[in-house]
Amino acid sequence: MNFSDSFNVWNYQNVLAFVFAINEINNNPDLLPNITLGFHIVDNCLNEERAISGMLDIISGGNVPTPNYRCGLSHNLVAFVDGISTRLTLLFARMFGIYKVPQLHKYLKHIKFTNSGGEKLTIDDNRRIDAKYDILNWAIYSNQTLHSIKVGSYDHQNASQGLTVNGNLIRWSPAFSQTPRSACSETCLAGYRKTSKAGYPACCYDCIPCPEGQITNVTDMERCITCPITQWPNAKKDTCLDKVIIYLSYEEELAMSISFSSIFFFFLTCLVMAVFNKYRTTPIVKANNQNLSYVLLFSLKMCFLCPLIFIGQPIKLACMTRQTVFSIIFSISLSSILAKTITVVIVFHATKPGSKLKNLMGSKVSVSIVIFCSFVQVVICACWLGISPPFPQYNMEDEVGKIIAECNEGSLIGFYCVLGYLGVLASVSFIIAFLARDLPDTFNEAKFITFSMLVFCSVWVSFIPAYMSAKGKYVVAVEIFAILASSLALLGCIFIPKCYIILVKPECNTRDFVKRGIA
């Protein structure tokens, strides 16, 4: 064994420990049975040149080391051990690797022994040792003495807490201003996950935010966790929160304004109906088919109240009734307007000499039209409810992080048949009223009906693309707007002009003025 000029007591202690370990292995027949270990120690003096020279001396033997040549009867070299310098250890590993010389570990398998502390240890076929280890912190005092402090332990059989370290017990050298880190990256906080960096060691990584709908609730997680379908991550993406259930609620400003408008127009229609009832004996009221006017006004009152069914959290009863009630009431309104239009045409042609239409001038025809057209809509709604009725559902797809409580219309065919039938009634009324617009002024109500149907159809034609593109609670708001706007069009175009004559120009509410077309 050679020593450099500068004797290092710490290296000498390592040599003594190594020699002691070799002797312990050789003296214990259970560790390496039928194998005796020897050793050849060379002091490398932490110098690469001396290290290579010592390595060749070990491999070749003799006074003059020669690469790839073994002198004399030297023993077989089965392993080398070095651990003082990482730089020299890597050098040894590369050089000895050429000669296929490993760490001693290939012989350490399927061994049972008892250590000096009386513990029974086992090394299995995979060279894993069934043992517990103490983690020691060696402290060097000013008097050059060593002292070991147990700061933790390792037990590979304990899956949950195999490695435990108490950082408060570790005594770091004054050269460290803070606890050294073994990673080349900062800790990934909750809400982020680790992703490996190409070309870097495993301890080097980047931290990237979790994608939408996923979280991490502890640091340094490699995978994000997907939130349950009824939950959504918070802003930091470190916990899952219950999704907000949204619908058109009465507490919202939009719903309150709709409710106010609905009730206001309802009372406005009641006021118009009261005016018509008070002046029911006047020519302007009689000339416009009084009974049909009352039916139309009553149905319009119900139309203005329909939006109230659409507001609030959808339940099964509300989903089943709101479209059907709305469609049947609107069918009554449109049937009444259709009956009014047909009555105008019949009255005009019945006044001609020899006309056979005089038999159709009674109220039975108009009542029959209203009942028949409304009944058709009732049959369509009954089939819709019987085959595939609407039902409440939670929509979790349209808006991120929210649950939309809405009504699924069930059969879309049934829903569009209901709307389509209303379109047919409105179109027929518009066409007949348009063709009758040039009748003598005595029967000029057809002009008001034509304009009201034009506005009505325009509202519902624009409703279709708006309804298809809207999402969430605004789908309901779009339909409510269409209901209020079209109902107001019928009320304003047909009845408001007559109320103006009745209340503001009573001198025009005479039979002569009506015949001359003032009304």
Side-chain angles (χ1 to χ4, degrees), residues 309 313-324 384-385 389-393 406-409:
I309 308 177
Q313 185 168 3
I315 58 175
K316 185 176 181 180
L317 180 61
C319 289
M320 292 181 64
T321 58
R322 68 182 190 179
Q323 297 291 2
T324 53
W384 180 17
L385 294 178
F391 57 89
Q393 71 172 11
E406 62 183 10
C407 287
N408 187 310
E409 304 303 346

Side-chain angles (χ1 to χ4, degrees), residues 60-66 69 71:
S60 299
N63 296 324
V64 181
T66 304
Y69 176 77
C71 178

Side-chain angles (χ1 to χ4, degrees), residues 269-280 282 285 294 498-500 502-503:
T269 309
C270 290
L271 181 61
V272 172
M273 194 172 186
V275 171
F276 265 63
N277 185 56
K278 182 178 180 179
Y279 295 94
R280 61 183 179 276
T282 60
V285 177
Y294 288 143
K498 297 176 178 57
C499 289
Y500 174 78
I502 293 173
L503 299 176

Side-chain angles (χ1 to χ4, degrees), residues 325-341:
V325 170
F326 143 73
S327 60
I328 292 174
I329 292 175
F330 258 69
S331 296
I332 296 174
S333 299
L334 294 175
S335 300
S336 302
I337 293 175
L338 179 61
K340 271 179 167 288
T341 308

